[in-house]
Amino acid sequence: MFQKVLIANRGEIALRVIRACKELGVETVAVYSEADRESLHVRFADDDVCIGRPPGRDSYLNIRHIIAAAEITGADAIHPGYGFLAENAEFAEKVCASNITFIGPTPDQIRRMGDKATARTLAQQLGVPTVPGSPGPVDAVEEGQAIAAQIGFPVIIKAAAGGGGKGMRVASTAEQFGQAFTLAQQEALAAFGSGQVYLEKYLARPRHIEIQIMGDTHGKVMHLCERDCSVQRRHQKLIEEAPSPAVDQTLRQDIGDAAVRLAESIGYVGAGTIEFLLDTDGSFYFMEMNTRIQVEHPVTEMCTNFDLVKEQIRVAAGEPLSFVMSGNRLRGHAIECRVNAEDPARNFQPSPGLITAYHPPGGPGVRVDTHIYAGYTVPPYYDSLLAKVIVHGNSRAEALARMRQALDSFIIEGVTTTIPFLGRVMRHPDFQAGKVDTKFLEREPQLLKDLA
Ligand code: ADP
């Protein structure tokens, strides 16, 4: 096992990794930007190093500073969390070249799955269904037009290097295509340094279903069933749950097998997520693989009783997977709500600032993963996630009731949060019935009206 793990991240996920390390008896190093001096991850780590100014590129994205911090403090492994450098193959490579273990897949695995167009081709070769679309990346507008006409409108143009909903544009008609294509290329170039895009048919009402994967260095890959992340705004997840109300045991086996086949084909090591779209007719299509721990991993933890972050660390240290999934079944039902410092009434505009009062919900089956406290100032530089509320119940109905009471008793004052909005979604008849898809919020603008 490692002696000392450096966490190359901030916020709730940095705290989450510190907890896992403490349970494993491993020392921790926090890195932080000048804007995060007062952060809890700095307080709870055994060691800490300031790595630069607040903007990401000067600190949490600065590979040189992070590796230097690991070397100075004698860390023998680095956990990247999610976001920032978590899926940066160059970072993983430089970490390994410095004789430090990268807690995650190999640089080659990150690269192979990081290019979404290549990952799509791999899926096709393995007989895993993909959404009808371009056979590979598309360079010219005219070529794209021709393919779009063939697959039929609407189509979605996606950045090959994409992530976080960026570099994606929908074209509903041939007339819109040219502009959407150019915008997607520009956005992709600005966000990812590569303007390469590809096309997919834009499904009308899909659900987002993803499979949690775990692989070890002894050749074992297994899946831990699905999460349903269909409640999205602008292609970004807001609420996640497991199991999916739309997945029965047969479909679970089929999607799970497809996910394992993909991960096995590259000898995948560590935690990963394979994302699919589930169409209304029950067909599922591979979308992409994320080669890291996900924001929504706790819903799987609540339904399996496995600690995915501890497992990531163990596997990186060369240990075999410590658990098996019996019969590919989840226990009870879990829901996660992402609480953001944003104003839903103002187009979800970020609302940073001082938290003046804080009281988290509690009770049986309620978990809150957060880094905030009363007196903490939410800096304007990073994503606006304040807390994740995760509940577990014996049934979906019990989980829903638990989430409603948890949100109603969650006090965060000083900044505007999405709590009242999330409470409304929990009470919406379609959500209660489990009948949502990725366009649900688009169809329900009244959920945003007159929020207290
Ligand atoms: P990112 O990597 O930026 O998160 P994804 O490829 O994972 O992008 O897609 C994010 C979301 O965009 C999906 O969950 C879904 O809501 C929507 N989406 C992506 N591809 C399609 C498609 N072909 N049809 C309909 N919706 C799609």
Side-chain angles (χ1 to χ4, degrees), residues 37-59:
R37 268 182 210 289
E38 305 302 320
S39 288
L40 288 180
H41 76 283
V42 179
R43 183 178 314 180
F44 289 138
D46 298 296
D47 227 330
D48 56 77
V49 182
C50 179
I51 49 166
R53 289 158 38 77
R57 64 178 179 281
D58 296 337
S59 43

Side-chain angles (χ1 to χ4, degrees), residues 116 131 156 158 162-166 168 200-203 206 208 232 235 275 277 287-288 438:
K116 289 161 75 170
V131 190
I156 183 166
K158 295 169 112 173
K166 287 198 205 93
M168 271 194 307
E200 276 178 6
K201 180 157 188 62
Y202 191 57
L203 304 180
H208 175 116
Q232 302 182 351
H235 304 135
E275 299 190 333
L277 288 176
M287 210 167 25
E288 65 160 339
T438 58

Side-chain angles (χ1 to χ4, degrees), residues 415-438:
V415 300
T416 308
T417 78
T418 50
I419 293 173
F421 163 74
L422 294 164
R424 273 194 191 175
V425 176
M426 288 302 127
R427 289 175 173 85
H428 192 287
D430 289 356
F431 187 79
Q432 291 193 16
K435 290 200 176 105
V436 292
D437 55 74
T438 58

Side-chain angles (χ1 to χ4, degrees), residues 126-129 253-263 274 276 284:
L126 294 169
V128 173
Q253 300 278 14
D254 290 351
I255 307 187
D257 285 350
V260 168
R261 222 180 316 143
L262 258 162
I274 311 211
F276 296 89
F284 62 89

Side-chain angles (χ1 to χ4, degrees), residues 296-357:
E296 60 272 22
H297 75 274
V299 296
T300 303
E301 293 186 324
M302 301 287 267
C303 291
T304 57
N305 260 339
F306 303 142
D307 184 321
L308 294 176
V309 178
K310 275 203 304 204
E311 200 65 14
Q312 279 189 298
I313 299 169
R314 283 202 195 100
V315 159
E319 293 180 18
L321 287 176
S322 70
F323 50 76
V324 283
M325 284 289 287
S326 57
N328 289 338
R329 275 179 201 282
L330 294 169
R331 187 185 55 89
H333 200 97
I335 306 176
E336 173 181 277
C337 283
R338 301 189 188 194
V339 173
N340 292 333
E342 290 171 357
D343 187 351
R346 290 201 176 77
N347 208 16
F348 289 83
Q349 188 181 299
S351 137
L354 175 70
I355 307 231
T356 52

Side-chain angles (χ1 to χ4, degrees), residues 116 158 164-165 168 200 203-212 225-247 251 255 273-280 283-290 292 294 296 299 338 434-440:
K116 289 161 75 170
K158 295 169 112 173
M168 271 194 307
E200 276 178 6
L203 304 180
R205 286 185 155 209
R207 294 182 80 114
H208 175 116
I209 305 289
E210 58 184 35
I211 301 284
Q212 176 69 51
C225 303
E226 82 281 5
R227 291 183 289 260
D228 189 321
C229 316
S230 298
V231 180
Q232 302 182 351
R233 177 179 170 269
R234 300 201 173 155
H235 304 135
Q236 301 217 35
K237 301 160 189 166
L238 295 181
I239 298 167
E240 302 94 353
E241 63 180 304
S244 166
V247 174
L251 186 55
I255 307 187
T273 296
I274 311 211
E275 299 190 333
F276 296 89
L277 288 176
L278 175 64
D279 210 350
T280 37
S283 326
F284 62 89
Y285 304 102
F286 167 76
M287 210 167 25
E288 65 160 339
M289 176 168 193
N290 292 320
R292 54 167 159 83
Q294 305 258 108
E296 60 272 22
V299 296
R338 301 189 188 194
K435 290 200 176 105
V436 292
D437 55 74
T438 58
K439 314 284 172 62
F440 165 64

